[in-house]
Structure formats: structure tokens, C-alpha cells
Amino acid sequence: SGVIAEGEREPVLENPEKFPGARWFPNTQLNFAENLLRHRDDHTALVTLLENGERRALSYSGLYLKVAQLAASLRAQGIVAGDRVAGFMPNIEETVVAMLAATSIGAVWSSCSPDFGISGVMDRFGQIEPRVLFATDGYHYNGKRCDSLERVRAIAGGIESIEKVVVVPLLDAAPDVSTIANAVLFPRFLDTSATEVAFERLPFDHPLYIMYSSGTTGVPKCIVHGAGGSLLQHLKEQQLHTDLRPEDVFFYFTTCGWMMWNWLVSGLATGATVVLYDGSPFAEDGRTLLDAIDREGISVFGTSAKFIAALEKAGHKPAQSHQLSSLRAILSTGSPLSHESFEYVY
């Protein structure tokens, strides 16, 4: 898989008899973002699709430049390895840029979907004490414009560790963030003079992501994922299990509050074009994601068993209504496919 790393590859496992206490590749250093940004040409890295029909595309060279600019801004803010950076963000290109900029420094990324309520966000981010919070002014869902700024204001005011709130304009070109403490708009926060990313190569098990349990048995529990382990696991699952290739157009329906977002974004390490969609999967009478397959040339399409069952129940016949000529793999997770759904897909 061409993992970019330095140091000694031996021993592979230290203290194998201990759990916890065993360490993989204890003498190896790497940076997660560096491995996802190894491709720096002009082919498309990210396509962002919104429910309202908006579309943006960003090349690998353009992605690298944006990460360089944002990473420089985070360093100027004083962010260092081990700090936490959080995203209360929809599934758009700026979320990926923010994650890569933070992890290029060695900061730890954690995200929630903007449809979370204030208490759900506070229960999660309140535990990890982020220094920087990324958010948007809102998002589109089920044909509606949903404002986020009131919740952003409450979150920023309720978590004392937050030093800067970076707001990405999505609903409006220049939203008013003057009532949010220490807030700045994303375009003004970028250091546009920066052109290179200074990747911090850190121990194999350096923290990368903080995710959370569901919260069904009390406050959500923090789950820390290491950089090296996450990288190898994602490369294995994508390149071996899924047969992901650089020429693929890769999609998975997810929000930034689900671990499949983290998994999807790792498709950049293979050099695939990653398609991000934010909105209801049932927009346009359930056709919006099927339309995207044909329009974007999606070759690896990921969704849930529930979505497939819902299409079937609604009477959709994708093989008759759409070409689907680019599609070579359908991934399903979240729950098992029913026998009927399996037959419907295949």
C-alpha cells in the first residue's frame, strides 16, 4: 500500500503478552494526513454534493493547498500535537480539509453531525476539551434550510476550552457570527500565503480520532483510535476487501457523526475520487443518490440495508430507471441485508 513512514519496522509487536500494554510498531513514526495527501496531481480528490443541487469539485493539488493554508492557520493559533480539534460539520469538503489540517500537526480530530442537539454535542465535545471548533451556519435537509448558528453559539459558550470557532458559510455567503465568542469565517481564517504542509511524524499509536459510543447507557464514552492502526485497517479494508483503485469514484452515504465518514475519507490514500453527499438520502423521491451514480460515474457505492429496503418498498427499480454502467461494487453496512433485499440488489 506504500505507507509513508520512517524509523525501524522491527519489532512489529512489543509486549505481545500484555493487553492492554502491547504496542504495534513501537519504533515507527508516521503522519496520517501525509498518507492521505500523497497524491498531489490535478485529478479530482473530492466531489461535494448538497441536497439542494449544489456541486463542487476539488483536485488533489487543490486539496493539498487548502490543507496547507488551514494547517498554517491552526499552527498560528497555537495548535500542537495532542490538542483536540472538533467539527460540528456537515459532510462537505471543508470538513475533510479541517480534519487533514489538524491531523497533519498531530492534533486529534473529533466530529458530530450538525443535526445533533446541543446536549448531544456537549456530552461528547465537553469531555475532550477541544481548542478549536469548526462549524457551519447551517445545512440542507429534506427540502429545508436548517440554521446551526444558535447551537454553535451555545456550544462555544458552554465549553470553556474552545479558543476559536471557525464558521464555514454554507447557507449564506457571509453569515453574521458577531454574537459567537471568538468566531471567524473560514475564508478569513485561512493563511493564503502558505503552500506547503509541515507533516509531524509521530509514534504509530499517536491518537488520531476520538469517536463515541451511542450514549444509550449514559453519557457517550470516548473511543480513541490511533493513527497507524486506523491507516492500516482502512487500507486493508479498502484495497483488499473492496478492491478500491485510484481510478475509482468512491461513495458512502454517511454523516460526520458516524464512523463510516472516517472510513470513506481514507479513500484518498488510494488516490480514488471521494464523493461526499450532505442531505436526505430520500431526496427527489429517493432518486438523488441513484442519479449521482450515473452523473458522477460512481464505481463503488456504499449505503445501508435500510436504504436499499426503502427503495424496494417505494417501488424503485434502479436497473430500469438508471444506467448504472459505472457501478462495479455495492457496499452495505449498519444491519444485515434481508433475503429479499439481497435479491433486489443482485
Side-chain angles (χ1 to χ4, degrees), residues 210-225:
I210 299 175
M211 300 184 202
Y212 307 91
S213 64
S214 63
T216 54
T217 58
V219 176
K221 282 76 173 175
C222 297
I223 306 166
V224 181
H225 293 256

Side-chain angles (χ1 to χ4, degrees), residues 41-63:
D41 54 24
D42 290 329
H43 86 280
T44 303
L46 296 173
V47 174
T48 299
L49 306 175
L50 300 183
E51 184 190 293
N52 69 342
E54 291 183 35
R55 180 189 186 274
R56 289 184 291 160
L58 185 65
S59 69
Y60 270 90
S61 58
L63 176 61

Side-chain angles (χ1 to χ4, degrees), residues 96-345:
V96 179
V97 171
M99 180 277 288
L100 291 170
T103 57
S104 74
I105 300 170
V108 187
W109 174 261
S110 188
S111 60
C112 288
S113 174
D115 60 346
F116 279 37
I118 295 172
S119 61
V121 179
M122 296 290 288
D123 285 346
R124 290 162 173 81
F125 292 166
Q127 298 184 65
I128 68 170
E129 299 181 337
R131 293 185 60 192
V132 176
L133 175 68
F134 286 88
T136 60
D137 58 334
Y139 58 97
H140 301 276
Y141 195 87
N142 206 22
K144 299 177 181 178
R145 286 165 52 99
C146 305
D147 186 275
S148 295
L149 290 181
E150 281 296 326
R151 281 172 293 156
V152 174
R153 185 179 298 108
I155 294 162
I159 300 177
E160 293 182 0
S161 62
I162 295 176
E163 303 168 9
K164 184 69 69 175
V165 179
V166 183
V167 178
V168 177
L170 190 67
L171 297 184
D172 299 304
D176 181 9
V177 297
S178 60
T179 60
I180 301 174
N182 302 312
V184 62
L185 292 179
F186 184 88
R188 297 176 183 172
F189 186 66
L190 287 176
D191 180 352
T192 55
S193 67
T195 58
E196 299 293 331
V197 184
F199 296 105
E200 296 287 340
R201 292 185 179 174
L202 297 156
F204 185 87
D205 61 358
H206 182 78
L208 170 71
Y209 292 137
I210 299 175
M211 300 184 202
Y212 307 91
S213 64
S214 63
T216 54
T217 58
V219 176
K221 282 76 173 175
C222 297
I223 306 166
V224 181
H225 293 256
S230 297
L231 178 65
L232 294 190
Q233 181 73 1
H234 290 177
L235 287 170
K236 179 197 73 173
E237 291 177 349
Q238 293 179 356
Q239 295 187 3
L240 297 182
H241 299 188
T242 309
D243 190 27
L244 191 68
R245 309 166 188 172
E247 62 268 24
D248 277 319
V249 180
F250 183 33
F251 170 82
Y252 214 106
F253 177 75
T254 182
T255 70
C256 298
W258 191 27
M259 50 81 69
M260 292 309 299
W261 179 85
N262 307 77
W263 190 83
L264 170 66
V265 171
S266 287
L268 296 171
T270 299
T273 295
V274 174
V275 178
L276 312 171
Y277 172 75
D278 196 76
S280 170
F282 301 108
E284 299 295 329
D285 192 31
R287 298 189 306 272
T288 188
L289 298 185
L290 298 175
D291 290 346
I293 294 174
D294 285 345
R295 187 173 58 250
E296 301 297 336
I298 292 170
S299 54
V300 179
F301 179 85
T303 186
S304 65
K306 182 179 179 180
F307 175 76
I308 294 170
L311 287 183
E312 182 185 18
K313 184 176 180 180
H316 285 286
K317 299 184 184 298
Q320 297 177 17
S321 61
H322 292 74
Q323 292 183 350
L324 308 180
S325 57
S326 61
L327 195 61
R328 68 181 183 88
I330 298 173
L331 310 179
S332 175
T333 191
S335 59
L337 280 171
S338 68
H339 178 73
E340 292 79 9
S341 292
F342 185 85
E343 289 184 338
Y344 173 70
V345 171

